[in-house]
């Protein structure tokens, strides 16, 4: 990719028995390991500026997930939830000789980090959830995780915006339409008042356009449904992997040992929210999806309430978590308020 990186951040290709993974690397090779996992329709490039300003004493890596950035393209088996991603991470850590690591995940990366923590709790020195998706998956559940529809209709690959997917596949870096990657990033990845540096925004848009589009990757396939809104998850691809049909990390509360958890979010987030513009229940309530059956049948998913409930139970069971809410910040606290985010992160890592 022709995307300029900060001078202190380099790239490396690491081949395991599962995948050839592209990673960004910064810091001291002998320092405390931190792994930063990106979100959907993005890549490790979204962490680079933060990585450049992490002080001495840390070894920071940020992988491109399969089907993103410069990593190898392999399909995602949605019936395994996000385990294709977490098993890729485990193989990567083994190859790099990382026996323990502080793991941070942004958006869908937060869901991946939670699943990794459930499967490998003894390896984590800390768990950082940045604008994380709910432990009950994305869309279609009530507060306690109960599905709104028996087949999880209204979640998965069929809910992706067709124009956005088409323009993403074309590598459209323009701002000529509301559905272009650049326009979607400006409208939803950040808060309404955030202004990008022109060179950085170009790098981020190019990174978005490395996303592999198709049934096996983003967004995934779909199945017809007799239940509102008429489409249910398929078995392949990223959006199906995070459907509550296949994704549930609420048993994070029971892991042993329990690494400390930091949850960072913005109060102006429109993607992960109790009123998310990407949730069928909220779109139906807002009149954007026709024939909404009503709040008794299909309420908006209370994503942040669900995360808080699970983390409160985590604390009740002997764990520890801290919630940091950034005012007037959207979906990307580490990009919108990098100094504040870095301070919060480093304070957490040194406790």
């Amino acid at each position: 990719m022709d995307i300029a990186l900060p001078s202190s951040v380099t790239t490396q290709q690491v081949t395991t028995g599962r995948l050839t993974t592209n990673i960004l690397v910064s810091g001291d090779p002998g320092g405390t390991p931190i792994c930063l996992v990106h979100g959907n329709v993005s890549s490790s490039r979204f962490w680079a500026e933060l990585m450049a300003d992490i002080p001495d004493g840390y070894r920071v890596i940020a992988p491109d997930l399969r089907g993103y950035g410069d990593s190898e393209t392999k399909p995602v088996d949605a019936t395994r939830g996000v385990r294709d991603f977490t098993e890729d991470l485990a193989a990567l850590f083994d190859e790099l000789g990382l026996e323990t690591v502080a793991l941070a995940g942004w958006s869908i990366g937060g869901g991946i980090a939670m699943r990794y923590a459930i499967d490998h709790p003894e390896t984590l020195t800390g768990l950082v959830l940045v604008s994380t998706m709910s432990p009950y998956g994305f869309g279609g559940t009530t507060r306690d995780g109960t599905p709104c529809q028996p087949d999880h209709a209204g979640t998965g690959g069929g809910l992706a915006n067709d124009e956005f997917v088409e323009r993403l596949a074309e590598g459209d870096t323009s701002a000529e339409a509301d559905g272009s990657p650049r326009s979607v990033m400006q409208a939803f990845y950040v808060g309404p008042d955030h202004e990008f540096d022109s060179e950085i925004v170009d790098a981020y848009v190019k990174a978005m356009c490395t996303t592999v589009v198709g049934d096996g990757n983003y967004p995934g396939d779909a199945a017809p449904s007799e239940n509102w809104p008429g489409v249910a998850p398929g078995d392949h691809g990223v959006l199906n992997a995070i459907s509550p049909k296949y994704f549930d990390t609420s048993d994070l509360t029971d892991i042993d040992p329990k690494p400390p958890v930091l949850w960072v979010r913005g109060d102006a987030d429109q993607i992960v929210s109790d009123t998310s513009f990407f949730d069928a229940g909220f779109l139906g309530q807002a009149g954007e999806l026709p024939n909404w059956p009503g709040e008794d049948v299909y309420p908006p998913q209370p994503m942040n309430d669900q995360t808080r409930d699970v983390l409160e139970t985590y604390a009740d069971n002997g764990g520890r978590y801290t919630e940091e809410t950034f005012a007037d910040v959207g979906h990307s606290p580490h990009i919108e308020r990098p100094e504040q985010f870095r301070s919060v992160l480093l304070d957490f890592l040194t406790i």
Side-chain angles (χ1 to χ4, degrees), residues 308-329:
R308 190 173 296 108
D309 289 347
V310 167
L311 292 179
E312 288 286 352
T313 303
Y314 185 84
D316 290 342
N317 289 353
R320 173 170 58 85
Y321 91 95
T322 303
E323 178 181 349
E324 295 281 353
T325 304
F326 290 10
D328 303 317
V329 165

Side-chain angles (χ1 to χ4, degrees), residues 11-351:
T11 62
Q12 181 180 345
Q13 293 275 314
V14 181
T15 299
T16 71
R18 294 183 54 81
L19 192 75
T20 297
T21 300
N22 182 72
I23 63 174
L24 299 186
V25 181
S26 69
D28 178 1
T32 301
I34 308 171
C35 177
L36 308 173
V37 182
H38 65 80
N40 198 15
V41 192
S42 64
S43 78
S44 60
R45 183 62 185 79
F46 281 74
W47 292 111
E49 280 66 38
L50 176 74
M51 294 175 67
D53 289 328
I54 297 293
D56 293 341
Y58 293 96
R59 175 187 185 184
V60 189
I61 66 169
D64 291 332
L65 300 171
R66 60 169 60 198
Y68 296 90
D70 281 344
S71 284
E72 184 179 358
T73 297
K74 285 191 174 181
V76 175
D77 180 353
T79 66
R80 306 184 71 236
V82 296
R83 286 183 177 87
D84 280 346
F85 296 125
T86 58
E87 291 177 9
D88 291 344
L89 284 179
L92 174 66
F93 296 162
D94 285 346
E95 186 67 26
L96 294 174
L98 301 180
E99 295 182 358
T100 60
V101 64
L103 183 61
W106 168 43
S107 192
I108 288 177
I112 294 168
M114 286 188 282
R115 170 48 58 192
Y116 190 91
I118 291 167
D119 293 341
H120 306 279
E122 72 285 351
T123 69
L124 296 187
T125 59
L127 177 63
V128 183
L129 306 175
V130 185
S131 304
T132 184
M133 59 177 286
S134 164
Y136 293 111
F138 201 96
T141 60
T142 61
R143 184 161 177 168
D144 66 357
T146 301
C148 297
Q149 305 283 22
D151 61 352
H152 300 276
T155 70
L159 270 290
N161 180 283
D162 290 340
E163 180 185 2
F164 175 67
V165 173
E166 181 178 344
R167 289 180 177 272
L168 189 67
E170 293 171 351
D172 180 6
T173 61
S174 74
E176 67 181 28
D178 290 344
S180 72
R182 185 180 298 267
S183 298
V184 168
M185 183 177 69
Q186 184 65 68
F188 294 105
Y189 282 35
V190 294
D193 298 326
H194 182 74
E195 295 184 7
F196 285 103
D197 174 274
S198 60
E199 291 186 5
I200 291 177
V201 73
D202 288 345
Y204 290 166
V205 173
K206 289 179 181 178
M208 292 175 71
C209 291
T210 64
T211 302
V212 176
V213 173
D215 285 351
N217 296 97
Y218 178 83
D221 58 354
S225 174
E226 296 180 355
N227 298 309
W228 186 86
V231 61
D235 295 335
H236 309 281
V238 177
L239 294 190
N240 295 313
I242 61 168
S243 162
K245 181 175 182 179
Y246 304 118
F247 181 96
D248 184 346
T249 57
S250 59
D251 53 347
L252 180 73
T253 58
D254 300 325
I255 65 173
D256 183 30
K258 287 182 168 59
V261 178
L262 171 65
W263 176 27
V264 183
R265 66 182 189 88
D267 67 0
D269 193 340
Q270 300 180 84
I271 296 177
V272 174
S273 167
D274 293 348
T275 54
S276 167
F277 280 85
F278 294 79
D279 170 49
F282 180 72
L283 291 174
Q285 185 184 65
E288 297 295 325
L289 282 179
N291 304 315
W292 180 54
E295 192 161 353
D296 290 345
V297 175
Y298 210 118
Q301 183 189 18
M303 301 179 185
N304 288 330
D305 283 342
Q306 289 176 331
T307 298
R308 190 173 296 108
D309 289 347
V310 167
L311 292 179
E312 288 286 352
T313 303
Y314 185 84
D316 290 342
N317 289 353
R320 173 170 58 85
Y321 91 95
T322 303
E323 178 181 349
E324 295 281 353
T325 304
F326 290 10
D328 303 317
V329 165
H331 191 58
S332 309
H334 60 296
I335 293 170
E336 298 171 72
R337 299 278 175 81
E339 293 181 3
Q340 183 181 1
F341 181 86
R342 186 172 59 254
S343 176
V344 168
L345 174 65
L346 293 175
D347 285 349
F348 171 75
L349 293 174
T350 55
I351 292 176

